[in-house]
Amino acid sequence: MDKKDLYNSINKHLSSIDDSLKTLAWVQSATMSMNQENMKKLNDTTNKMISSFGALSQSNDNSSDDKIEVPKYLRWNGDKS
């Protein structure tokens, strides 16, 4: 194998390595983009849940209208018999 063939062979290998690195960079970029989208969705969902729980806790003010009266005959009087 002369020098020219050796250089061509090395060039092909380097080109192949370059293509592989470009592919890996593209995959990593796509993965990061998907992770960013998923984190945004998770953040939005979390904020909606927190907002819903906050609204629920404000609407549940334990007013007497919300309390259910238990009839006396159904109440436990502490008797263990």
Side-chain angles (χ1 to χ4, degrees):
M1 180 182 286
D2 64 355
K3 285 185 178 183
K4 185 176 182 181
D5 290 337
L6 179 64
Y7 288 138
N8 285 338
S9 177
I10 291 172
N11 191 32
K12 285 180 184 177
H13 288 295
L14 290 176
S15 179
S16 177
I17 291 170
D18 185 54
D19 289 345
S20 296
L21 290 174
K22 287 177 183 176
T23 301
L24 287 173
W26 179 85
V27 169
Q28 184 178 19
S29 176
T31 302
M32 288 176 58
S33 178
M34 288 175 18
N35 285 344
Q36 286 176 335
E37 290 174 20
N38 289 336
M39 288 302 294
K40 182 178 182 332
K41 288 177 186 177
L42 179 61
N43 187 43
D44 292 346
T45 301
T46 303
N47 287 337
K48 287 177 185 176
M49 288 176 60
I50 290 171
S51 177
S52 296
F53 286 135
L56 180 62
S57 67
Q58 289 176 356
S59 68
N60 186 7
D61 61 1
N62 292 325
S63 66
S64 60
D65 295 338
D66 294 339
K67 294 181 181 173
I68 299 172
E69 187 64 34
V70 177
K72 286 186 179 184
Y73 68 91
L74 291 177
R75 294 182 195 165
W76 184 63
N77 63 4
D79 184 16
K80 295 184 181 182
S81 56

